[in-house]
Amino acid sequence: MSLDFVESSPLDYSAEVAQATAPIYQKLREFIPELEWPVYAPYVAAINELKKQRNAIILAHNYQTPEIFHGVADLSGDSLALARQAGETTADVILLCGVHFMAETAKLLNPDKTVLIPDLEAGCSLASSITAEDVRLLRERYPGVPVVSYVNTSAAVKAESDICCTSANAVEVVESLGSQQVIFLPDEYLGHYVASKTAVELIVWKGHCEVHERFTADQVRAFRQQHPGVEVLAHPECPPEVLEEADYVGSTSGMINYVEEKRPNYVVMVTECSMSDNVAVEYPDVHFVRPCNLCPHMKRITLPRILASLKNLQHSVEVESEIARRARRAVERMMAVGRGKSG
Ligand code: 13P
Ligand code: SF4
């Protein structure tokens, strides 16, 4: 089949498409009404076909919608897992279903591959809360204090940092530096959480995730009242008073591992909306209470945009070579610390 098949045969829900996507719909039937599947299925089939022709791999963050996460992704996970997987692939093209900093991290680890993001506007409020110049000023103010930056930052900010971390390995990374003081950026709440787990003193930037900062402790108490026995899992980007109410605090993959290991009867994941949908597909016996805060950036990634991205090889993520060299060093240093662990 040639690469122009997408145009030559518009996105009909043909018998062939229905058959090719039937096993995927079987998994998603609780989440996507039968009436809606004919809208998604032709894209799912076309993307899966085109990705073979391109020798492309699709990596999806845990916050992608179920038709992407279960329909077209080859690999999925939290930020740390995506970075690792990006570093290990032999595909020619990496298409990142997530936000820009995730695609940029994949590019840093694969400078010679084509790395695509379906929408360049898929940003992150944490990444846009700090610039490389801000980091240089912090270094002037705190001479000699090492800088740990959360992967939710631009490559330019990573380039000014000693090492990166994710929510899955932040405590380990901070402690790996052997310093009594560390500059931690840009997430104030993750910084606050890490500080509660280590004797290292953290100087914290006051950036916030626009999705997680909206959760409140009152909401969590209400979940407990409405669903006695519910187990509360929260992402460390939530405010400290929310984390205090939680039974478990961890990265998105950490939450998935919790459900896998403990099989709670009732669970609430205090994080982005699509998480619970994606995990519920795999654990039909677990009841998910679904608080819903959408990440508008993650939701810019849609099946039509993924198809256009693969078809036109757009939007190719590029990082200026000197920034890339320095940013890669910070990411690779993190990978060396966190090797063998996720969640
Ligand atoms: P994770 O690394 O836990 O997947 O978090 C990434 C993120 O953007 C959370 O908002
Ligand atoms: Fe950024 Fe928050 Fe969206 Fe994660 S959920 S990508 S931290 S804005």
Side-chain angles (χ1 to χ4, degrees):
M1 207 183 277
S2 76
L3 286 185
D4 61 3
F5 78 101
V6 178
E7 265 163 17
S8 59
S9 45
L11 302 180
D12 286 340
Y13 186 56
S14 62
E16 198 187 345
V17 166
Q19 199 186 7
T21 59
I24 297 170
Y25 187 62
Q26 201 52 35
K27 276 183 102 174
L28 296 175
R29 57 185 313 132
E30 298 293 319
F31 304 91
I32 299 178
E34 214 169 332
L35 257 172
E36 279 179 28
W37 187 240
V39 178
Y40 296 122
Y43 286 98
V44 170
I47 290 165
N48 286 333
E49 181 59 37
L50 189 49
K51 122 185 135 177
K52 282 188 234 154
Q53 295 177 35
R54 291 282 195 210
N55 188 25
I57 188 168
I58 298 187
L59 304 184
H61 185 261
N62 291 325
Y63 294 162
Q64 291 296 295
T65 46
E67 72 281 4
I68 295 174
F69 191 88
H70 294 284
V72 300
D74 299 291
L75 295 166
S76 57
D78 64 2
S79 306
L80 181 58
L82 295 180
R84 286 214 179 105
Q85 289 160 358
E88 287 164 8
T89 182
T90 55
D92 296 322
V93 176
I94 299 171
L95 188 146
L96 205 304
C97 295
V99 292
H100 192 265
F101 76 81
M102 295 175 178
E104 227 178 27
T105 307
K107 182 68 181 178
L108 293 176
L109 297 171
N110 292 279
D112 300 328
K113 289 190 196 295
T114 300
V115 176
L116 303 174
I117 182 147
D119 189 322
L120 277 174
E121 301 287 306
C124 168
S125 66
L126 280 170
S128 58
S129 74
I130 189 161
T131 64
E133 179 59 16
D134 292 327
V135 186
R136 287 192 286 270
L137 289 171
L138 279 170
R139 282 204 188 270
E140 272 175 33
R141 194 179 308 162
Y142 303 100
V145 179
V147 175
V148 176
S149 59
Y150 193 25
V151 280
N152 297 40
T153 45
S154 66
V157 165
K158 289 183 176 77
E160 299 295 333
S161 310
D162 293 279
I163 189 166
C164 290
C165 73
T166 71
S167 56
N169 63 13
V171 176
E172 212 185 344
V173 165
V174 162
E175 293 189 338
S176 76
L177 297 171
S179 172
Q180 292 192 338
Q181 241 191 355
V182 158
I183 297 170
F184 188 91
L185 54 90
D187 187 357
E188 179 184 12
Y189 297 148
L190 176 62
H192 193 280
Y193 174 71
V194 173
S196 75
K197 299 280 167 199
T198 179
V200 179
E201 187 197 331
L202 264 58
I203 299 157
V204 178
W205 187 256
K206 291 195 187 317
H208 295 150
C209 161
E210 67 186 269
V211 177
H212 291 90
E213 72 175 351
R214 283 185 281 143
F215 289 110
T216 66
D218 278 350
Q219 263 177 317
V220 177
R221 287 190 283 269
F223 298 143
R224 289 202 193 276
Q225 265 186 354
Q226 288 154 14
H227 308 278
V230 71
E231 296 184 34
V232 179
L233 321 184
H235 196 279
E237 290 171 9
C238 294
E241 59 276 17
V242 171
L243 301 186
E244 272 161 31
E245 296 286 333
D247 297 305
Y248 170 82
V249 176
S251 77
T252 54
S253 292
M255 291 186 215
I256 297 173
N257 294 343
Y258 184 100
V259 172
E260 162 74 27
E261 280 161 27
K262 308 231 171 185
R263 301 295 169 116
N265 191 17
Y266 265 96
V267 72
V268 57
M269 291 180 161
V270 187
T271 189
E272 210 269 349
C273 300
S274 294
M275 252 305 274
S276 301
D277 294 341
N278 289 331
V279 186
V281 169
E282 307 288 358
Y283 301 97
D285 299 340
V286 178
H287 302 280
F288 288 80
V289 180
R290 290 187 168 84
C292 210
N293 282 354
L294 268 177
C295 173
H297 311 288
M298 288 278 177
K299 268 45 205 181
R300 297 190 77 93
I301 310 301
T302 61
L303 289 174
R305 286 180 183 161
I306 296 170
L307 183 57
S309 176
L310 266 181
K311 197 176 157 217
N312 305 320
L313 294 180
Q314 70 190 25
H315 304 272
S316 180
V317 176
E318 305 298 336
V319 185
E320 192 273 316
S321 63
E322 184 50 21
I323 289 179
R325 186 188 65 75
R326 293 164 57 217
R328 186 178 312 118
R329 197 182 47 191
V331 175
E332 285 178 347
R333 243 183 121 182
M334 165 186 85
M335 310 272 263
V337 171
R339 201 151 279 150
K341 287 192 189 168
S342 182

